[in-house]
Amino acid sequence: MNMRELVNKLNDLAYRYYVLDDPIVSDKEYDALYDELLKLEAESGTVLPDSPTKRVGGEPLKQFVPHTHIRRLYSLDKCNSFDELRAWFEKLKTALGSAPECTLEYKLDGLTVCLTYRDGQLVCGSTRGNGEVGENVTEQIKTIRSVPLSIPYKGEIEVQGEGIMRISALNKYNATAAVPLKNPRNAVAGAIRNLDVKETAKRNLDAVFYNINFSGDKVFTSQTEQIEFLKSNRFKTDMCFVSNDIEEIIAQIQAVDRNALDFAIDGMVIKVNSSNARTVLGYTDKFPKWAMAFKFEAEETTTTLCDVAWQVGRTGKLTPLALLEPVELCGATVKRATLNNYGDIVRKGVTIGSRVFIRRSNDVIPEILGVAETRDGAREISKPNKCPCCGHELIEDGANLFCPNFYGCRAQAVARIVQFCTKDCMDIDGVSIKTAELLYDVLGVHSPTMLYDLTADDLAKIDGFKAKKINNFLTAVRNSKNVDLPHFINALCIDNVGKVTAKDLAEHFGSVDGLAAATVEELTAIQDVGEIVAASIVDYFARHSDVVQKFKSLGINPEYVKRTGGKLEGLKFVLTGALSEFTRDGAARLIESLGGIVQSSVSKLTDIVVAGENAGSKLEKARALGKKIIDEIEFKNLLNT
Ligand code: IVH
C-alpha cells in the first residue's frame, strides 16, 4: 500500500473502532499497519495532513492562540421542571400555529468544541470561549480518535459538539494516576486546555457532535438532516428521539437512566426539528428560542469534611468513612461519604476541615472526589495503627490497612457471616447484622463454618429465636449445603472477589481445589482478573486452607457443571428495562440454567435482547444493530416452549 492508501485504511479502521464501536481487525493488525506508515513517513519525510500519526502530540505548545468562530456559538436556555418545559412548548405552539416536531438529545457534560473543515481536512479545532472568540486547540482535538481528521464533504463547514471523557476511561486513568481526576467535566476541560498535547492524548477523550454552526451555501432543512449529515461524515452523534408530543418527550426523559451511561450528562436537550420553524422562532441575544435544556438535578456538590471514622469490613479491610457537614444532594441529605482506603486519602490530599467535592449516583453511598478548598486549621487524617474494633495491630498492604485478627475481631466476623448468608452466597434467609451480632456474642459464632454445628438448643438461647424461626433457620442452613460453585466462591469473602469474578473463577477452575491451586499467572490469564485480584486469591488460600478443609468435611465442596444441551445453548442475551414477573437476577439465572449466556451490554455478538418497561439506551443500540428484540411475554414463551 502507498502512503495515501495506508492513511485511508487506518482512518477507516479507527472509524470502525472508535465511532461505530464495531472493530473489524485486531489491535495487533492495526498496530502493524500503523508501524508500516510510521516507517514510510520517516523514509519519505512527508506526513499527510490526516495521518493518524498526528494524533499523539508533539512538543508542548507555548501558549493558546485565540480563534474567532465563523459564526457565533450560542448557548442554551434551560429549565429544571417538566412544567417549565411544557410552558416553553406551549409558547412554541402559539408562535408556530401547531405543535412542532422536536428532537431529543443528551446534554453532554463536557467541553464544547468547534471544528472547522476545509477541502475535507480538519483545519481548526477550538473551544467555545465567549461564543465569539475561543482558543485554538487543534492539536489537542486531533488526539481524540473518534474525531475524523478528514471528511468526505469538501465545502467549508464548522461543526459543534462536546469533548467528553468516558467514565470507563476516567476510571482507568484514575486507577494508576498520581493525582486522580475529580469528574469527567474537569477531566476533559483540563485535558483540552493543556499545552502538553501528549498529556491530552493520555486521557483517551471522545467527542460527540450535535450541531452544524456554519455550512456556507449548504442548507439543512432540519436537525435530523444535520445529524444524518454528521453521521455520513463519520462524526459520532447521539440523537435519541423525535416527536411532536411534549408528553411523549417527557416520558422519554423520565426513562433516561443517567447512571447506566458511560458518559456524564447533566440533562437533555430538546430542539425544534424544522429549520423553517427555527427561522420563525429566532434567537435572543444569548440563545436560540427553538431549543431548551432540561437540566437534571445536580449529583455533585461541595461540603466540609468534619471527621473520618474507620470501619472494618468482612475481609478485615479498613474503610474510611467521611463524616460530612450535612448537605442536600439529589433530594436527600448527605452526611457520610466513602474515601475508599488510606491510600485514596493521601492521593486526594483530603484533610479534616477542608471543603470537598462529593458525588452521589444511584443509591450507592456518596464518594469524595477531591478537595475543593483547603481551609485554615485543616488537619491531616491520621493513619490508625490499631483496629478500631478489636485493638489489634494493623498491617498495611498497598493502599489498604487490614486487621489480621480474623476470628477475634467482632466487626469482621459479623460482616463475614452476614455476607455468607446473603442470596448471592449461601442464601440462608434471615441473618441481619443484628442476628449475626447475637450469634457472635451469645454463641461465639466467629466463622461461617460454625453455623453448620448449631443446634436448636443453641439457637433457643438467642432473643427472638422461637420454634418456628429456629426450624426455618436450621432448614436453610442444611439446604445451603447444595450451593453451586459460583455462589460458594462468593461466600468465601476473598478480598476483591465479587459475584461476577466468583462466577468467572468457577467456570474456569471447576472446583475450590482447582482455584486454591491456581498461581498468579494462571489467574491473570483469565479475562478481567488483574494482578490485584489474583494476589488476593492466592493470599486467601495460603492463609485459610483450614476453612476450605472444614467446609469439605461438612460436605460442602461443589463442582461447576457446565450445562450443555440446554435449549438456549450458546445464545447470548441482554436484559434491559423492568420485567414484571422476574427480577433481573432471576431472569438471568433462568437463561443460564437453559445454557444461555447473559451479557451486560449489547454488541455485535448479542443474539437476543429482552426489553422490559422503560428500556433505554440498550434497546436503542439493539435496534440500531438490528438485533432480535423480545418483550416479557415472548421471553416467557421462549422459556416455556
Ligand atoms: S446545542 C445553538 N446540543 O450545553 C445550539 N448543546 O448549556 C447550540 N451541550 O453550550 C447548543 N449537549 O456546550 C447542544 N445535545 C446538545 C448539547 C449541548 C451539551 C452543551 C453546549 C452548550 C451548553 C449549554
Side-chain angles (χ1 to χ4, degrees):
M1 269 187 274
N2 66 27
M3 196 184 265
R4 180 78 263 163
E5 286 165 348
L6 258 178
V7 168
N8 287 353
K9 173 93 191 165
L10 283 161
N11 285 344
D12 203 44
L13 293 175
Y15 170 65
R16 303 280 307 216
Y17 188 94
Y18 291 103
V19 180
L20 300 183
D21 195 11
D22 183 19
I24 47 170
V25 297
S26 67
D27 293 0
K28 207 175 128 197
E29 289 164 282
Y30 180 90
D31 293 345
L33 289 170
Y34 188 91
D35 290 343
E36 199 178 321
L37 176 62
L38 272 179
K39 206 169 134 232
L40 270 185
E41 291 180 344
E43 282 166 7
S44 65
T46 41
V47 179
L48 294 176
D50 56 342
S51 165
T53 63
K54 293 203 160 189
R55 291 194 187 271
V56 292
E59 288 296 302
L61 307 176
K62 298 242 169 353
Q63 60 182 42
F64 286 113
V65 179
H67 167 83
T68 308
H69 301 297
I70 303 182
R71 259 184 55 197
R72 173 184 168 170
L73 294 180
Y74 282 90
S75 139
L76 291 172
D77 195 4
K78 60 173 188 277
C79 67
N80 297 298
S81 72
F82 290 129
D83 278 343
E84 287 171 89
L85 189 60
R86 287 186 183 103
W88 170 71
F89 194 76
E90 280 307 313
K91 264 208 267 180
L92 298 183
K93 262 177 33 190
T94 314
L96 297 167
S98 65
E101 183 173 76
C102 287
T103 61
L104 182 66
E105 297 166 2
Y106 292 125
K107 184 166 177 347
L108 299 149
D109 199 7
L111 184 77
T112 305
V113 292
C114 178
L115 313 185
T116 314
Y117 288 81
R118 240 174 261 133
D119 293 327
Q121 300 292 333
L122 171 65
V123 291
C124 179
S126 59
T127 61
R128 177 174 180 278
N130 62 10
E132 279 165 21
V133 183
E135 283 167 337
N136 186 318
V137 286
T138 312
E139 293 312 309
Q140 287 81 351
I141 296 291
K142 281 186 184 167
T143 69
I144 306 177
R145 297 187 188 260
S146 60
V147 167
L149 298 177
S150 56
I151 57 173
Y153 182 71
K154 298 291 177 253
E156 182 170 32
I157 193 153
E158 210 169 81
V159 298
Q160 185 187 355
E162 204 80 356
I164 57 170
M165 186 161 183
R166 292 189 167 266
I167 316 277
S168 52
L170 184 98
N171 290 340
K172 206 163 160 186
Y173 181 93
N174 275 354
T176 56
V179 183
L181 301 167
K182 286 171 193 149
N183 62 40
R185 182 169 20 87
N186 289 357
V188 71
I192 292 183
R193 300 196 65 262
N194 195 321
L195 290 166
D196 183 358
V197 182
K198 285 207 162 72
E199 192 51 44
T200 317
K202 277 191 208 150
R203 304 254 174 120
N204 288 315
L205 303 181
D206 203 345
V208 178
F209 292 83
Y210 45 69
N211 190 37
I212 294 173
N213 194 46
F214 172 84
S215 53
D217 295 336
K218 182 163 178 63
V219 281
F220 296 97
T221 63
S222 65
Q223 176 72 6
T224 0
E225 212 177 282
Q226 286 193 35
I227 298 289
E228 280 316 312
F229 175 87
L230 287 167
K231 271 196 202 166
S232 66
N233 279 282
R234 305 191 147 200
F235 293 95
K236 205 179 254 188
T237 60
D238 79 344
M239 167 121 34
C240 311
F241 187 68
V242 185
S243 170
N244 66 357
D245 178 347
I246 192 67
E247 296 309 323
E248 232 175 69
I249 292 173
I250 289 173
Q252 284 290 319
I253 298 175
Q254 284 171 320
V256 171
D257 177 4
R258 62 195 292 201
N259 295 307
L261 303 171
D262 191 29
F263 43 85
I265 59 173
D266 60 345
M268 300 295 286
V269 182
I270 304 97
K271 297 176 182 166
V272 171
N273 199 11
S274 143
S275 303
N276 284 340
R278 289 181 179 190
T279 310
V280 173
L281 294 162
Y283 293 77
T284 71
D285 55 346
K286 284 209 201 95
F287 39 71
K289 292 188 195 165
W290 44 261
M292 181 62 84
F294 176 83
K295 297 266 282 181
F296 291 143
E297 234 168 327
E299 288 189 323
E300 227 178 88
T301 186
T302 61
T303 186
T304 305
L305 174 65
C306 303
D307 207 352
V308 166
W310 294 86
Q311 294 185 313
V312 188
R314 58 183 188 250
T315 62
K317 193 193 285 181
L318 265 70
T319 308
L321 184 71
L323 308 177
L324 307 167
E325 190 174 284
V327 61
E328 288 298 309
L329 188 58
C330 297
T333 309
V334 176
K335 294 184 206 143
R336 296 146 178 263
T338 176
L339 269 162
N340 299 314
N341 54 41
Y342 185 72
D344 199 36
I345 293 177
V346 177
R347 232 158 54 108
K348 290 177 176 164
V350 177
T351 50
I352 291 171
S354 57
R355 274 196 91 74
V356 290
F357 278 111
I358 61 167
R359 181 184 171 77
R360 183 166 185 263
S361 48
N362 250 356
D363 50 2
V364 293
I365 169 162
E367 191 189 4
I368 292 197
L369 303 164
V371 177
E373 186 192 355
T374 307
R375 294 265 168 94
D376 286 346
R379 61 186 165 87
E380 294 223 337
I381 298 165
S382 53
K383 179 161 82 176
N385 47 24
K386 294 230 162 40
C387 175
C389 173
C390 70
H392 198 286
E393 204 83 30
L394 298 176
I395 50 173
E396 201 167 347
D397 185 7
N400 289 298
L401 297 167
F402 284 89
C403 167
N405 189 7
F406 196 71
Y407 295 116
C409 179
R410 183 179 187 256
Q412 55 178 300
V414 164
R416 219 176 292 129
I417 289 162
V418 171
Q419 158 81 3
F420 185 81
C421 296
T422 58
K423 268 211 153 23
D424 286 336
C425 296
M426 306 300 273
D427 196 10
I428 300 172
D429 204 18
V431 183
S432 61
I433 297 181
K434 186 98 194 89
T435 308
E437 282 173 351
L438 287 169
L439 287 168
Y440 183 92
D441 294 341
V442 181
L443 303 175
V445 177
H446 59 66
S447 160
T449 57
M450 294 174 76
L451 295 171
Y452 295 89
D453 297 330
L454 294 174
T455 64
D457 286 346
D458 292 334
L459 292 166
K461 292 179 196 147
I462 300 180
D463 252 2
F465 267 77
K466 301 261 158 52
K468 184 155 177 244
K469 186 164 175 179
I470 292 175
N471 192 32
N472 287 346
F473 181 79
L474 290 173
T475 312
V477 169
R478 212 176 315 115
N479 288 343
S480 76
K481 290 189 176 184
N482 300 321
V483 67
D484 63 16
L485 187 58
H487 288 88
F488 184 54
I489 293 176
N490 195 25
L492 293 176
C493 291
I494 304 172
D495 197 17
N496 297 310
V497 173
K499 83 174 179 188
V500 176
T501 310
K503 194 160 155 239
D504 292 345
L505 294 171
E507 266 172 35
H508 195 271
F509 293 102
S511 68
V512 176
D513 283 340
L515 176 61
T519 61
V520 168
E521 293 72 43
E522 284 170 283
L523 287 162
T524 47
I526 302 173
Q527 208 187 354
D528 295 336
V529 175
E531 296 281 337
I532 294 176
V533 176
S536 302
I537 295 168
V538 170
D539 180 61
Y540 177 89
F541 287 104
R543 287 194 289 138
H544 302 304
S545 58
D546 56 327
V547 180
V548 177
Q549 277 311 321
K550 174 74 187 173
F551 278 124
K552 268 196 199 170
S553 71
L554 289 165
I556 306 174
N557 189 17
E559 293 202 348
Y560 189 76
V561 226
K562 211 170 169 52
R563 289 188 193 81
T564 49
K567 65 179 171 195
L568 304 181
E569 185 64 36
L571 284 179
K572 299 190 180 64
F573 286 78
V574 171
L575 297 163
T576 176
L579 300 173
S580 60
E581 288 186 32
F582 308 87
T583 61
R584 254 315 150 83
D585 277 357
R589 260 192 303 246
L590 282 169
I591 291 171
E592 285 168 354
S593 71
L594 296 169
I597 297 158
V598 181
Q599 304 174 308
S600 55
S601 62
V602 180
S603 76
K604 241 184 6 183
L605 301 173
T606 307
D607 295 300
I608 299 175
V609 174
V610 184
E613 283 292 304
N614 292 330
S617 58
K618 289 184 192 175
L619 179 58
E620 290 301 320
K621 181 142 188 212
R623 285 203 185 111
L625 291 174
K627 293 294 165 191
K628 179 170 178 180
I629 299 164
I630 61 174
D631 63 15
E632 183 162 358
I633 298 171
E634 291 168 293
F635 177 57
K636 271 170 69 180
N637 289 339
L638 184 68
L639 296 175
N640 294 331
T641 48

